[in-house]
Amino acid sequence: MHVSTPASSAQAPWLIVGLGNPGPEYARNRHNVGFMVVDLLAERMGGRFKRATKAQAQVVEGRIGPPGPGSRRVVLAKPMSYMNLSGGPVGALRDFYKVPPVNIVAVHDELDIDYGTLRLKLGGGDNGHNGLKSLTKAVGRDYHRVRFGIGRPPGRMPVADFVLKDFSAAERKELDYFVDRAADAVECLLTEGLERAQSTYNS
């Protein structure tokens, strides 16, 4: 399905939100892969996160894409609330930067997808993800998602324990590659559109 960006959204900035929990104890958790992806995007842009003045979040402003009309103005954001309260900071950033919902991209972990697999989509439910639940309550459901597969917990491990654990040693061998690919997918979404990004990165 081809989804075009409304004309009213063409000049608005994009708000790229990595979902995660603040603090060093959570930094390498599976639940924080959204933070890892936007950290890499910030590094590519040559920007450093700073505390937002109007929201409980850290932000980097810059551009993604080739110089000229193909580049997109972006705000990378990491909510500094906990995951379950992500919607408050994102709603405040949306209002401050005047971002339409279709120009919001949430990068997040996804239990129902195999580790390292990506799925991009526009809109949809929260699938039990508390960060998405909070985000949808704040901004509606018509935002883009870059879903980063982390797989299901082994055996009878509770989901809450699984997502708040670091990636395993075996997973870490490929983690940098998968995070890099997810950052590429975000850039493709912004510069070439959802349909092209889906055909290239959905696997």
Side-chain angles (χ1 to χ4, degrees):
M1 179 180 69
H2 178 69
V3 179
S4 59
T5 302
S8 61
S9 305
Q11 300 306 315
W14 285 79
L15 177 59
I16 315 300
V17 181
L19 294 183
N21 286 307
E25 66 271 35
Y26 299 107
R28 304 303 290 175
N29 287 179
R30 293 182 177 92
H31 224 17
N32 271 46
V33 73
F35 275 19
M36 297 175 200
V37 174
V38 295
D39 280 340
L40 179 56
L41 288 167
E43 185 180 315
R44 291 180 179 183
M45 285 175 13
R48 284 175 165 268
F49 279 96
K50 61 182 181 181
R51 184 163 292 281
T53 55
K54 300 293 183 181
Q56 188 183 359
Q58 291 185 352
V59 296
V60 175
E61 297 180 45
R63 301 192 80 86
I64 282 177
S71 78
R72 300 287 181 263
R73 188 158 66 97
V74 300
V75 180
L76 305 176
K78 296 190 292 186
M80 290 290 108
S81 60
Y82 284 92
M83 174 72 85
N84 297 4
L85 302 173
S86 299
V90 176
L93 292 170
R94 172 205 58 191
D95 294 345
F96 180 72
Y97 289 103
K98 298 179 172 56
V99 180
V102 74
N103 279 29
I104 298 173
V105 181
V107 186
H108 64 91
D109 59 305
E110 179 62 66
L111 285 161
D112 289 333
I113 302 175
D114 290 342
Y115 173 59
T117 299
L118 296 177
R119 292 277 193 279
L120 286 80
K121 70 174 186 175
L122 175 62
D126 56 61
N127 203 25
H129 192 292
N130 288 327
L132 292 181
K133 194 175 295 183
S134 178
L135 194 54
T136 297
K137 187 175 180 182
V139 304
R141 22 182 106 245
D142 297 328
Y143 56 90
H144 288 87
R145 300 107 188 274
V146 176
R147 305 156 73 203
F148 186 111
I150 60 171
R152 302 293 303 185
R156 298 185 178 185
M157 180 186 291
V159 165
D161 292 347
F162 179 69
V163 299
L164 293 176
K165 285 187 181 297
D166 290 359
F167 287 98
S168 70
E171 289 170 334
R172 286 197 296 272
K173 291 178 181 177
E174 296 183 291
L175 182 59
D176 287 348
Y177 167 76
F178 289 139
V179 168
D180 192 70
R181 192 166 182 271
D184 290 346
V186 173
E187 292 180 346
C188 183
L189 170 63
L190 267 59
T191 59
E192 300 187 55
L194 178 61
E195 187 176 344
R196 173 62 65 86
Q198 287 175 324
S199 66
T200 304
Y201 294 97
N202 279 16
S203 52

